[in-house]
Amino acid sequence: MIPLGANSLRNRAERHRCDGNHLAVISVCQRVLANQPNFVPAIDLMIEARLAVGRTRSATAQIVDRIDLIGLDNRSKGFIRRLPPSPFTTAQLHRVMRADPSWTGRLEIARRLQAEGSRKEALKRLKGAQRGVVSTEISLLTAAIQAELGLRKAALESLSKIGQGDPQY
């Protein structure tokens, strides 16, 4: 019997994903990554599967490893969006912030400040993160904090920055 290569195993994992068998996806991807630890398609499939079955801690750890490997790309940001608020340990947060300090760092700090009740300070951090780039995550968090502060008009203005083509619109 000829052993399956990384791409054949990835295809098998894709079929399991289509069937909704997320645990099988994780199992197959573990086989791939045991031989090729930096095979990004298998990493992505495994993160998706872990998120689907609620394995947040292991998914978070793998997302951080992915960011260390290839940087904070749109796919990594998409994975981060699917995590619950403040999912990172302090060490993980530092690793992610090194990859993109302006976006991740300020966004995570703002979430923590909001959770602690320091909403005005959280808004200051978010304004710093918006320099030149308007992101959906920042607009949504800004609107939520503004609404909590009773600043309904400002919250609506923040929500209006989200484009109609955005999936979170």
Side-chain angles (χ1 to χ4, degrees), residues 15-159:
R15 286 193 302 273
H16 286 306
R17 183 183 60 81
C18 291
D19 293 339
N21 190 350
H22 303 293
L23 295 177
V25 172
I26 293 169
S27 177
V28 172
C29 288
Q30 286 172 331
R31 281 181 58 195
V32 173
L33 296 173
N35 293 318
Q36 293 187 350
N38 297 333
F39 190 58
V40 176
I43 292 170
D44 290 350
L45 279 170
M46 195 164 180
I47 292 169
E48 290 280 347
R50 285 179 165 166
L51 290 171
V53 296
R55 293 186 177 172
T56 306
R57 264 189 295 168
S58 59
T60 301
Q62 197 163 25
I63 292 166
V64 173
D65 290 343
R66 183 188 192 282
I67 292 168
D68 283 343
L69 181 64
I70 63 170
L72 188 64
D73 62 350
N74 286 334
R75 184 85 188 244
S76 294
K77 287 180 181 181
F79 289 141
I80 290 171
R81 280 186 211 110
R82 294 175 55 194
L83 294 172
S86 301
F88 302 111
T89 64
T90 302
Q92 289 172 331
L93 181 58
H94 289 166
R95 288 169 59 196
V96 173
M97 286 172 60
R98 277 194 296 277
D100 186 11
S102 64
W103 184 79
T104 309
R106 288 192 177 107
L107 191 61
E108 188 61 29
I109 289 168
R111 284 186 181 128
R112 289 185 182 193
L113 288 168
Q114 178 193 24
E116 294 169 0
S118 302
R119 290 173 185 87
K120 289 182 181 179
E121 186 62 29
L123 285 176
K124 287 180 190 176
R125 301 295 174 138
L126 290 171
K127 285 181 185 175
Q130 281 185 315
R131 290 188 193 125
V133 177
V134 178
S135 86
T136 301
E137 296 82 17
I138 292 173
S139 295
L140 286 171
L141 185 56
T142 299
I145 294 170
Q146 289 168 329
E148 289 171 6
L149 289 170
L151 305 170
R152 287 171 178 47
K153 183 177 179 182
L156 290 172
E157 288 173 12
S158 294
L159 289 174

